[in-house]
Amino acid sequence: MESSEEAAVEKCRVHLRPGTLRDAARATLHLLPCEVLVNRPAPVDRFFTPAIRQGPDGLEVSFRGRKLRGEEVVVPPGLVGYVMAMEEQGEVSMEKDFSEGDEREEQERAEPREALERDFDQFIGAIASFSRFTLWGLETIPGPDAKVRGALTWPSLAAAIHAQVPED
Amino acid sequence: MLLLVYLSASLPRGGHGGGRFPPTWPSIPRLGGLDPWPLGEVALFLRPGQAGAQPRGPGHGAGSGVHGPRESGAGAALQATGLFILQTNGLRLEALNPAAPTGGASGTPGRSLEGDPAHPVPPKELGGRPWELQFPGSRAAGVSVAAAETSTVAGASGACPGHRLVGSQSRFGAGGKRAPRTAPVDLVLAVGGGGRDGMDFSELDRDNTGRCRLSSPVPAVCRQEPCVLGVDEAGRGPVLGPMVYAICYCPLSRLGDLEALKVADSKTLSESERDRLFVKMEKDRDFVGWALDVLSPNLISTSMLGRVKYNLNSLSHDTATGLVQYALDQGVKVAQVFVDTVGLPETYQERLQQRFPGIEVTVKAKADALYPVVSAASICAKVARDQAVKSWHFVEKLQDLDADYGSGYPNDPKTKAWLRKHVEPVFGFPQFVRFSWRTAQSILEKEAEGVIWEDSLTGDQEGPGRIMSYFSKGPRTHPRLPHRYFQERGLESATIL
C-alpha cells in the first residue's frame, strides 16, 4: 500500500477478509504457458481435465491445438496458496470478518472503523486455496528451472534475510 | 456362455435344449469396424468358464475320435470342441497370430491344423487362449445360430491370440438344406473376444488424442512371395476428424485376383460400395493384408502448430514410410511400392527410394486410380476414416453436441456452421477439430478470446534504441531493472493491486 504518493497514484486501500482464508475450498489449478486475454470462468472440467493424458514422461494435454507437457508443483511447506478475488464495489462489507480477524501474515490490520467504506476502500477475499498445482510448459516439461519454481523459493530467502540477527 | 455356430440344417432343434432361433442379433458383439454388420456375418463369443466341451449333434458320433488324448482340463475340452467343429465342417485351423510377432522367420506363420481325427492337436495348442472360427468366402441365407447345450469347461480362461478356422465350402452346410452357393454364409466364432476381424477401433476409442495403428493379420503367402504394396490416405483435407494412412499388399502373383475384386479409387465409390469392397478384401485375407495409421486431429494440430512446425506433407511422408517399414518388420516380402503422391512426386519418390533401397518405389499423382493395390489401400483408408468419424468419441464433455457437421471439408457451409456453433471462448474447439486449419483459426480469431503464447512474442519489447540516443548529452536513461535474482524468477514487486 502506497499512501505517500497520493498525487501520482489513485488512492486505494485494500482490506482482506480474513474469514475467507479459513473457509476457502481446495481448487485444482493449471498454470498455462500462455496468456488468455480474458478473465472469466472457463469450463476446465469439460474441456481440459478430460483431455489430460499420462505420457511416458509426464502429463500431456493440448490447448488451442498446441501441445503442453506438465508436472505437479507443490507449494513449499509453511505456505498456502490462495485464489483471491476483489469484491465488486458497493458490495456490503461484512463487519464480522473484521471482528474475528486475527493476525495473519498477509493481512492488513483493519483501519479504524470510521475510516472504512470510503470509495477507495476495497476488499479482497480468498475464493479457493491450494497446496499444489499443475505447471504446464509449451511442448516441454517446465522442469526444475521453471521460473515459477524459482519464485517459490523467494519466501524462504526473504524470511532468512529479514530475520533478526542475534546481536552478539 | 459358449455359443457354437452351426448351420441350422446340421442341428436337430430338439437336441439342443431348444436352441434359440432366430439368434439374438442385437446382443452379438461387434467384431469388426463395419456397421451394420454385412449381411451374413455372424460373430459369437465364447466366454471362458462356461464353454462346452462336447456339443451334441449330428456328426458327434463320427467325430468321437477327434477328441484325441483324453486329457482333463480346459485345454482338452476346448480342443475337443474345436476339433469337433473342425471335423464336422471340414475346416482347418490357422494361427492368425504366431507366437513370435516379429519377423517372418520366427514363429510359425500360417501354421495349419487340420481337423483330422488321426492327428489330434495337443491341448496346449488350443487351450487357454481365444480362438476364432471362420468360414470365409461365403454368404448367408437360411443360416441359424444355436446356443448349444454343452457341458461346462471349468476355468477355460484365456486366450490364444487369434486362431482362425478356415473352411472349404464343400462340406459346409452338410446334412440337410445346403445353403445356396450364391448366398452362403460367413460364420465367425470367437472365444474370449479376441476380435481381430475387420477394423477393431477399441484402441482408438480408448484414446483418440494421438495416433493409432490397426492392421490385418499378415497372410502367410506374403511372407514367402514377393509382394506389391500400395499406400494411400484419406481425410487429408477436412478440418474435422482424423487423417488415415493405409497400406495394402498382396503377392505379385495374386495381383490379378485383387484386380478381380474390381477395386477402384475410393473417391469414385459410394460409401456402401467401399464397405462392400473392404468386406471382399477381408474375405481374401489369405493373400491380401493391410495396415493403417489413424492420425488424430489433435496430433495433426499439435504437429503443425509446434514450436518447430511439422507440416502436413512431412507428417504424411513419415507416416507412409512408417507403414512400409511396419510391413517389412512384420515379415512381408515387399518388392514394389506404389504411392499416391503428396507434394511433388519426384522428391517424394527419391526420398522413399533412398529409405528403401531394395524396393522398387513408384510415386505418382492419381496412383489410387492407376494401380489396384493403391485403390485397395485407398478403400481401407476411407473405410477407416468414415468409421472413425462416425464413431468419434469426443474427449470433451460437450453439451448439446450437434452431430451434423457435414462433410468436414472447410468449404462446406454445414461444416463452417458447425465450427461456429461449437466455439468455446477460452478453449476454442473440441479436439475433433484441426486447430491448424485456416478455417478454424479465422473463426477463433473472431469468436474466441485472444491467446498470447510465450513463443508468439516477437522481440518488440526492447527494440533497438534510436541512433540519436547514443549522442545525447544527458545520462542514458535506462529503467532501473530489478536484480537478476528477481528477473530470473519472474518476480516483480507490487505496490498496488
Side-chain angles (χ1 to χ4, degrees):
Chain A
M1 287 286 291
E2 295 281 327
S3 49
S4 53
E5 300 171 56
E6 279 171 64
V9 183
E10 196 187 332
K11 190 171 178 183
C12 90
R13 189 162 10 199
V14 176
H15 307 274
L16 177 75
R17 302 257 187 229
T20 59
L21 299 179
R22 239 168 279 138
D23 309 334
R26 292 266 154 161
T28 309
L29 300 183
H30 299 277
L31 186 56
L32 301 186
C34 63
E35 192 182 349
V36 182
L37 302 177
V38 68
N39 193 6
R40 51 160 278 176
V44 180
D45 287 341
R46 292 197 294 115
F47 274 78
F48 194 78
T49 318
I52 298 174
R53 298 282 180 273
Q54 180 68 53
D57 35 30
L59 300 169
E60 294 178 2
V61 78
S62 70
F63 178 71
R64 294 281 184 108
R66 304 203 69 179
K67 188 176 194 87
L68 310 184
R69 287 174 189 274
E71 58 187 351
E72 284 270 291
V73 174
V74 178
V75 174
L79 295 174
V80 181
Y82 285 107
V83 181
M84 310 298 289
M86 184 85 75
E87 279 175 17
E88 293 291 315
Q89 222 137 35
E91 224 172 299
V92 187
S93 66
M94 287 177 287
E95 289 186 11
K96 72 172 168 92
D97 277 358
F98 287 88
S99 57
E100 66 185 17
D102 53 354
E103 287 294 337
R104 296 207 171 212
E105 52 180 330
E106 295 166 64
Q107 182 192 356
E108 169 138 342
R109 195 59 195 142
E111 299 284 304
R113 213 157 277 182
E114 62 272 22
L116 294 175
E117 316 300 335
R118 289 171 305 207
D119 45 359
F120 56 80
D121 282 311
Q122 287 185 299
F123 295 87
I124 61 167
I127 52 171
S129 71
F130 61 97
S131 58
R132 56 180 63 236
F133 58 94
T134 313
L135 176 63
W136 295 96
L138 180 57
E139 291 168 28
T140 49
I141 292 181
D145 294 335
K147 273 189 175 182
V148 176
R149 285 191 186 278
L152 288 173
T153 64
W154 168 241
S156 61
L157 180 62
I161 61 180
H162 290 292
Q164 285 283 332
V165 181
E167 280 193 14
D168 56 74
Chain B
M1 172 173 55
L2 170 64
L3 292 173
L4 295 177
V5 186
Y6 298 106
L7 284 174
S8 60
S10 69
L11 288 173
R13 287 172 191 232
H16 290 266
R20 304 202 307 276
F21 301 96
T24 48
W25 292 102
S27 69
I28 294 173
R30 213 178 76 200
L31 199 60
L34 298 172
D35 188 29
W37 273 83
L39 180 73
E41 296 277 1
V42 178
L44 293 175
F45 288 79
L46 292 142
R47 204 162 296 151
Q50 295 169 336
Q54 300 183 5
R56 287 175 242 132
H60 181 60
S64 60
V66 309
H67 295 161
R70 296 204 176 267
E71 291 182 38
S72 55
L78 269 180
Q79 177 208 3
T81 309
L83 291 181
F84 168 75
I85 299 167
L86 290 177
Q87 213 212 15
T88 344
N89 295 292
L91 304 171
R92 70 178 197 280
L93 178 65
E94 272 190 357
L96 280 187
N97 199 8
T102 50
S106 54
T108 46
R111 179 177 47 141
S112 288
L113 304 171
E114 299 284 343
D116 181 355
H119 299 95
V121 186
K124 65 177 157 61
E125 295 279 314
L126 275 170
R129 310 202 259 158
W131 42 272
E132 130 190 30
L133 170 68
Q134 191 175 47
F135 303 69
S138 36
R139 290 251 110 197
V143 166
S144 297
V145 181
E149 188 193 12
T150 55
S151 55
T152 299
V153 174
S157 60
C160 75
H163 277 95
R164 182 168 32 142
L165 294 167
V166 182
S168 64
Q169 270 183 265
S170 58
R171 289 161 67 183
F172 195 64
K177 295 180 286 181
R178 175 178 291 265
R181 285 254 169 213
T182 48
V185 74
D186 275 309
L187 299 173
V188 181
L189 178 83
V191 187
R196 300 189 60 84
D197 261 35
M199 292 177 188
D200 180 2
F201 277 87
S202 56
E203 195 191 329
L204 187 71
D205 288 343
R206 208 162 50 245
D207 186 9
N208 59 20
T209 65
R211 67 163 75 209
C212 163
R213 180 168 288 162
L214 310 175
S215 61
S216 71
V218 176
V221 67
C222 295
R223 290 194 168 106
Q224 288 140 17
E225 285 186 39
C227 291
V228 54
L229 182 149
V231 185
D232 199 14
E233 123 289 321
R236 196 179 144 76
V239 62
L240 300 177
M243 175 168 81
V244 178
Y245 250 85
I247 56 168
C248 193
Y249 52 87
C250 74
L252 277 160
S253 60
R254 304 293 297 272
L255 200 52
D257 297 327
L258 184 67
E259 280 176 64
L261 292 179
K262 298 210 165 45
V263 289
D265 171 11
S266 67
K267 288 189 271 300
T268 66
L269 301 167
S270 72
E271 189 175 340
S272 60
E273 282 172 318
R274 287 194 299 265
D275 286 349
R276 192 179 47 82
L277 281 168
F278 181 73
V279 170
K280 272 192 181 174
M281 286 196 289
E282 278 293 278
K283 290 199 173 49
D284 285 331
R285 47 164 47 181
D286 57 320
F287 71 95
V288 179
W290 52 263
L292 43 90
D293 260 357
V294 182
L295 309 185
S296 72
N298 185 52
L299 180 92
I300 296 170
S301 304
T302 53
S303 300
M304 293 174 71
L305 297 175
R307 275 176 194 272
V308 179
K309 304 280 173 273
Y310 184 30
N311 70 34
L312 197 63
N313 279 8
S314 304
L315 184 61
S316 303
H317 291 173
D318 294 347
T319 304
T321 310
L323 278 168
V324 175
Q325 187 60 50
Y326 174 73
L328 291 170
D329 292 345
Q330 295 284 102
V332 178
K333 279 196 165 179
V334 182
Q336 298 176 6
V337 169
F338 293 90
V339 187
D340 194 22
T341 196
V342 164
L344 285 175
E346 293 80 14
T347 48
Y348 191 11
Q349 172 155 343
E350 200 178 318
R351 213 171 134 171
L352 279 171
Q353 191 64 74
Q354 266 179 7
R355 180 73 170 66
F356 302 107
I359 299 173
E360 192 186 312
V361 180
T362 310
V363 179
K364 263 208 176 128
K366 307 241 181 297
D368 51 348
L370 294 170
Y371 308 103
V373 75
V374 182
S375 308
S378 81
I379 290 167
C380 291
K382 187 74 174 129
V383 167
R385 147 101 188 160
D386 287 350
Q387 177 69 32
V389 167
K390 225 181 262 176
S391 58
W392 190 259
H393 168 69
F394 281 81
V395 174
E396 300 80 8
K397 294 179 191 137
L398 299 172
Q399 292 152 348
D400 48 63
L401 176 73
D402 183 0
D404 189 14
Y405 36 67
S407 65
Y409 279 89
N411 54 5
D412 184 337
K414 256 189 182 169
T415 301
K416 271 190 189 162
W418 188 89
L419 286 172
R420 282 211 190 81
K421 188 180 162 190
H422 288 85
V423 175
E424 204 291 318
V426 173
F427 294 99
F429 296 111
Q431 283 190 6
F432 185 55
V433 176
R434 301 180 190 174
F435 282 78
S436 44
W437 258 236
R438 189 193 299 275
T439 317
Q441 300 250 305
S442 60
I443 290 176
L444 285 186
E445 273 164 33
K446 277 186 227 120
E447 315 205 4
E449 307 294 349
V451 169
I452 298 173
W453 293 89
E454 56 188 41
D455 63 346
S456 57
L457 293 169
T458 46
D460 57 338
Q461 307 99 309
E462 283 278 324
R466 291 176 47 198
I467 288 176
M468 286 304 289
S469 71
Y470 294 102
F471 300 96
S472 63
K473 288 230 173 88
R476 301 263 293 280
T477 51
H478 278 298
R480 222 192 71 186
L481 290 170
H483 187 271
R484 220 184 63 181
Y485 176 90
F486 298 103
Q487 286 187 59
E488 283 171 354
R489 285 159 181 78
L491 291 169
E492 288 170 27
S493 57
T495 53
I496 52 163
L497 272 167

